[in-house]
Amino acid sequence: MLRVGRQFVSVRQKWGDPWQLNYDLHCLEVAWALSPTMPTATLNYDYGFVQGLAQPAYVAKPKLNLNGWYVKIVLEMDWDETQSIYNTNTWYGVIEHIEDEHRGLVTHTGATI
């Protein structure tokens, strides 16, 4: 049976800094490649008034400025029955492009926030 695992996205500003796991950053796509093609990843971060999973209310989350930061994406790929663990693949890169996608106003219990 194939089991799809979780993903863990961590960032750090300088290479010598410790990795900071960020549960609000989500990897939408990741591609490993050989030269001359560049390996790429697409991350998503919702900011503004956001209602998280299992949260009863909206909270204000600030916009992040991670341009130039290092990123590490650990993906649990498949379940190893013999060891009862996930095998993982890890992708490393640098955040070089930030793009905003405007989704409009949030309406909660009849009020616009």
Side-chain angles (χ1 to χ4, degrees), residues 13-106:
Q13 188 171 18
K14 298 176 185 165
W15 188 252
D17 293 345
W19 288 108
Q20 301 170 25
L21 181 60
N22 189 321
Y23 290 105
D24 294 326
L25 275 172
H26 302 281
C27 178
L28 302 178
E29 178 182 37
V30 62
W32 285 264
L34 298 173
S35 182
T37 304
M38 293 293 294
T40 59
T42 303
L43 303 176
N44 182 65
Y45 173 80
D46 291 325
Y47 67 92
F49 286 100
V50 177
Q51 185 176 15
L53 293 174
Q55 290 182 338
Y58 285 85
V59 295
K61 285 179 23 184
K63 182 176 180 178
L64 297 178
N65 183 7
L66 299 176
N67 203 27
W69 285 46
Y70 297 97
V71 62
K72 175 176 76 169
I73 303 167
V74 178
L75 302 170
E76 292 180 338
M77 301 304 290
D78 58 295
W79 184 255
D80 185 335
E81 293 288 345
T82 61
Q83 298 183 32
S84 297
I85 60 170
Y86 280 99
N87 293 317
T88 60
N89 280 343
T90 304
W91 187 95
Y92 294 92
V94 177
I95 298 173
E96 293 184 346
H97 176 74
I98 296 176
E99 188 173 302
D100 279 335
E101 180 179 315
H102 300 284
R103 294 188 184 173
L105 300 174
V106 174

